[in-house]
Amino acid sequence: MSTEKIKNDVSYDEEQQDKIDLTNNVQARIQNPLHGIPKERLLSQVDSFAREQDMLDIAPLLRKGALIAQNPKDFENISELDEKDKEVIRRERTHKWSQPRDLYMTVVVCSLAAAVQGWDQTGSNGANLSFPDEFGISIATGAPNAANHQWIVGLINSGPYVASSLLGCWLTDPLNHLLGRRGTLFFCGIFCIFSVLGQGFCQTWPQLLVCRLLLGLGMGPKASTSPVFAAENTPASIRGGLVMSWQLWTAFGIMLGFSANLVFLDVGRNAWRFQIASAFIPAIPLTLLIYLCPESPRWLMKKGRYHDAYKSFRRLRNSELQAARDLYYVHRQLVEEFTVLKGSSYATRFFELFTIPRIRRATLASFVVMIAQQMCGINIIAFYSSSIFSLANFTNKQALLASWGFGMVNWVFAFPAVWTIDTFGRRNLLLFTFPNMAWTLLAAGFSFFIPIGNSARVPCIALFVFIFGAFYSPGEGPVPFTYSAEVFPLTHREMGMSWAVATNLFWASVLSISFPRIQAAFTQVGAFGFYAGLNVVAFVMIFFLMPETKQRTLEELDYVFAVPTSRHISYQAKTYLPYWIKRYIFFRKTELEPLYNFDEVESITVFEKGVGH
């Protein structure tokens, strides 16, 4: 089915009563796209769809799937389903982690993409201890031109993030359009192999900067595409847990990078070359395995390749019934999206991120959650922990060991989020962890007041940095990429994810460039205190501007983001905040008035108090 066909296939909309306006859903009535259609009419529409797509051979499955998608909570009473069909749907709830091998292969490949991202960060972390001296740009206190050299070292470290945010991320949309999700990740894998290896052979700091800029051309589209690829292939009930594997395995890559720093510590004056070039290792299996995964069915449907989409769904679901259900459900939402949102040219889609109300709210929410990841201060540790610990009077080996310990904490504490992100919720995780990240950073900064000769100085600094990592990993670690991969409609998903990741990486580059100079000007205490304050600011932004997306299908999120931002802010300030104070400060039993009214909800939907869901 072509894009033009999808745009024109809207006849059933005129017959549907109580229609929701996606761009101005003031009453916030979250409604299944198939809700309210009489059974006979729905089955007739399914038959028409099957004829148009030359899928009459699976028409019975499509009919059953449409009935389940229309009323998933009441599937037990659908007469067209036999006991075997019902058992398949029951098993979705009772064995939600029992998924096909190809689905887990997709997650493994996306995890490799994340590991590359993490390893690239920490390779430069260890190299910071020696490459400035190698290239005559020492940043040691008292060194000639130390202030200028601090900016140069910051620029080199920020190279991939500058290139990603200014160019790499914006290649995501045309690359995905031309090559698909898999082709884009293959393209990125090539850049992440050869540019990383090139870093190890550089003879001057400008050469190193150029290699790191080229690395950004692979990192940007990879970071934009991989979470979307995983999100589009996984079922809603476990999407958060699987998609958040991006952060889990980014943390694993960070830990591996710190491990490589330790392995190559005693190689000699070329140790930094091995440390910074070792990140090519996970990029090799990423590049080799990507075409063993099924292509995103949603991307194939967007290109009008419905037969290929059904084949992908069959590989990604446990039964043909589930594949047929998801195929038809996504098709109907595609019709909605193309009718209302009319995604067309590259430039048009970019401007629509800020002009169409539903998309503008998603753009704002993704901006908030992405910039908050940089505001929290995690990357001052990921990029510069070895330098920070060295300035705290650690030896080089102690600094790398402490950094490795931080990497291990960051990885281990990311595991709980696999379960909590779809139960506790994205927003609640952030609201819980940001205050704790603020006080731990402040405590780590104050630990620098302990005299250098005092035996408590080193363990106190390391302890509070480790506790900071333990709070970061299950919250602001996995949520930003999971959240941003969910919130945009399919018509604008590549562009929206490009925006979100560009935001994240641009501010990562600002942090990377500025931190050596901030640390010299503010001292360690001031630098840590500065980022502790930014955690508080980020907490306020998240509280007022970030709606919850927990366990909503990718398509149903259209309705969540149709609620005006002003109403969401007003609800949080005037309804939820007073409720929270009464309930948890004064311990008074009180009822919370929900922001949304539910007409008909998917069985996976769970009402969460206080998150505007």
Side-chain angles (χ1 to χ4, degrees):
M1 184 178 185
S2 66
T3 298
E4 189 64 33
K5 174 60 183 170
I6 293 175
K7 291 180 179 179
N8 294 331
D9 186 14
V10 296
S11 59
Y12 68 91
D13 286 339
E14 300 171 357
E15 301 171 335
Q16 190 171 347
Q17 300 298 315
D18 197 20
K19 184 68 180 175
I20 291 177
D21 180 0
L22 294 182
T23 59
N24 190 29
N25 180 18
V26 178
Q27 297 303 315
R29 296 165 65 84
I30 297 180
Q31 197 173 358
N32 185 307
L34 303 178
H35 175 67
I37 302 176
K39 180 177 177 179
E40 293 305 318
R41 186 185 304 165
L42 175 61
L43 295 179
S44 175
Q45 291 167 357
V46 172
D47 291 339
S48 297
F49 167 78
R51 284 192 297 271
E52 290 168 4
Q53 300 304 327
D54 193 22
M55 288 182 160
L56 291 173
D57 56 321
I58 63 166
L61 287 172
L62 289 169
R63 291 164 66 94
K64 292 179 181 180
L67 293 172
I68 297 170
Q70 184 183 48
N71 195 2
K73 295 180 69 175
D74 196 36
F75 71 90
E76 296 280 2
N77 295 320
I78 297 176
S79 60
E80 285 78 3
L81 302 183
D82 57 31
E83 187 58 31
K84 183 179 178 181
D85 296 331
K86 293 177 182 178
E87 182 57 31
V88 167
I89 305 304
R90 291 187 199 110
R91 190 173 173 81
E92 283 186 325
R93 303 179 184 182
T94 58
H95 296 76
K96 69 177 185 177
W97 291 103
S98 176
Q99 300 293 337
R101 181 184 62 183
D102 284 329
L103 179 61
Y104 284 112
M105 172 63 80
T106 301
V107 175
V108 167
V109 168
C110 292
S111 300
L112 286 169
V116 174
Q117 202 92 353
W119 202 327
D120 284 327
Q121 291 179 11
T122 48
S124 62
N125 184 309
N128 282 331
L129 295 176
S130 52
F131 88 77
D133 295 329
E134 174 85 7
F135 295 141
I137 51 174
S138 175
I139 61 174
T141 303
N145 296 317
N148 288 336
H149 293 166
Q150 288 160 359
W151 288 111
I152 292 173
V153 170
L155 179 62
I156 291 170
N157 277 286
S158 70
Y161 310 102
V162 172
S164 292
S165 61
L166 298 182
L167 179 59
C169 290
W170 303 106
L171 293 175
T172 303
D173 191 271
L175 284 174
N176 274 273
H177 178 75
L178 293 173
L179 305 176
R181 310 292 190 233
R182 297 182 302 178
T184 299
L185 291 176
F186 180 83
F187 169 91
C188 295
I190 296 298
F191 268 85
C192 290
I193 292 172
F194 292 104
S195 62
V196 170
L197 284 173
Q199 294 177 110
F201 294 95
C202 293
Q203 301 303 311
T204 64
W205 72 258
Q207 291 176 0
L208 180 59
L209 175 60
V210 169
C211 284
R212 291 185 65 75
L213 289 170
L214 289 174
L215 173 60
L217 298 183
M219 286 178 61
K222 173 167 60 64
S224 301
T225 301
S226 181
V228 173
F229 184 47
E232 291 181 342
N233 282 11
T234 53
S237 59
I238 61 169
R239 187 194 324 123
L242 291 182
V243 175
M244 67 75 49
S245 64
W246 173 263
Q247 171 57 25
L248 178 65
W249 299 109
T250 298
F252 182 65
I254 288 173
M255 191 268 291
L256 289 179
F258 282 131
S259 300
N261 291 340
L262 281 169
V263 168
F264 296 117
L265 172 64
D266 297 323
V267 168
R269 63 188 298 263
N270 287 323
W272 72 269
R273 297 183 184 276
F274 291 96
Q275 290 169 337
I276 205 168
S278 61
F280 86 95
I281 295 172
I284 291 177
L286 164 66
T287 308
L288 294 177
L289 295 176
I290 182 60
Y291 277 103
L292 297 181
C293 301
E295 181 59 273
S296 161
R298 288 177 171 87
W299 181 83
L300 291 168
M301 293 171 72
K302 187 178 179 181
K303 306 297 286 186
R305 296 165 56 183
Y306 275 73
H307 282 274
D308 291 335
Y310 179 62
K311 291 177 183 177
S312 280
F313 267 133
R314 285 181 61 185
R315 294 176 63 186
L316 294 165
R317 299 295 183 264
N318 285 314
S319 71
E320 292 185 349
L321 176 62
Q322 292 163 304
R325 175 199 60 191
D326 291 349
L327 180 80
Y328 188 71
Y329 184 78
V330 173
H331 161 73
R332 293 298 290 259
Q333 190 60 38
L334 270 174
V335 174
E336 297 275 352
E337 290 185 352
F338 277 106
T339 301
V340 178
L341 304 175
K342 298 182 176 66
S344 52
S345 70
Y346 184 93
T348 300
R349 287 195 298 275
F350 175 78
F351 286 110
E352 285 177 345
L353 292 180
F354 310 98
T355 57
I356 294 181
R358 179 262 180 266
I359 306 177
R360 185 175 65 240
R361 294 174 195 120
T363 302
L364 174 62
S366 68
F367 171 82
V368 167
V369 75
M370 283 296 196
I371 196 174
Q373 190 174 69
Q374 303 307 326
M375 293 171 71
C376 79
I378 184 63
N379 283 332
I380 66 175
I381 310 298
F383 298 166
Y384 292 109
S385 62
S386 298
S387 302
I388 291 170
F389 289 132
S390 181
L391 289 171
N393 211 35
F394 288 46
T395 65
N396 278 1
K397 185 172 184 178
Q398 287 175 330
L400 290 175
L401 279 170
S403 296
W404 180 86
F406 169 78
M408 180 60 73
V409 168
N410 188 35
W411 181 50
V412 169
F413 280 87
F415 277 94
V418 174
W419 294 274
T420 59
I421 197 168
D422 275 332
T423 53
F424 198 48
R426 285 82 160 132
R427 179 184 152 99
N428 278 349
L429 283 172
L430 299 189
L431 294 179
F432 171 73
T433 53
F434 264 91
N436 288 294
M437 288 191 290
W439 76 259
T440 50
L441 273 187
L442 200 60
F446 285 164
S447 296
F448 281 90
F449 283 130
I450 301 173
I452 290 178
N454 193 311
S455 61
R457 177 182 170 91
V458 168
C460 279
I461 293 172
L463 173 66
F464 287 115
V465 168
F466 290 175
I467 296 174
F468 166 80
F471 280 118
Y472 166 83
S473 291
E476 185 60 15
V479 168
F481 283 88
T482 301
Y483 190 86
S484 298
E486 293 174 337
V487 297
F488 293 99
L490 185 59
T491 49
H492 295 72
R493 190 156 294 147
E494 293 96 337
M495 182 62 69
M497 198 63 186
S498 297
W499 156 264
V501 177
T503 297
N504 185 288
L505 297 182
F506 173 77
W507 290 104
S509 70
V510 171
L511 180 152
S512 185
I513 291 173
S514 62
F515 187 74
R517 193 69 197 122
I518 287 176
Q519 187 174 224
F522 289 10
T523 74
Q524 288 87 354
V525 177
F528 275 70
F530 174 72
Y531 277 97
L534 290 182
N535 273 276
V536 177
V537 175
F539 173 86
V540 175
M541 293 167 60
I542 289 164
F543 183 80
F544 286 110
L545 299 174
M546 179 184 163
E548 179 59 78
T549 63
K550 180 178 78 79
Q551 289 195 348
R552 301 301 299 174
T553 64
L554 290 168
E555 289 71 32
E556 287 175 323
L557 290 170
D558 281 342
Y559 299 103
V560 172
F561 284 95
V563 176
T565 302
S566 59
R567 183 175 179 188
H568 188 270
I569 293 173
S570 176
Y571 174 82
Q572 301 302 329
K574 298 178 181 179
T575 303
Y576 179 68
L577 186 58
Y579 160 81
W580 191 90
I581 292 172
K582 292 175 184 177
R583 180 69 180 84
Y584 297 104
I585 302 298
F586 297 109
F587 299 103
R588 292 168 51 189
K589 290 185 178 181
T590 182
E591 292 295 324
L592 175 65
E593 178 187 348
L595 172 60
Y596 293 90
N597 298 315
F598 288 82
D599 261 355
E600 179 76 11
V601 296
E602 293 283 354
S603 59
I604 58 173
T605 301
V606 178
F607 172 70
E608 286 190 274
K609 295 182 178 180
V611 296
H613 192 261

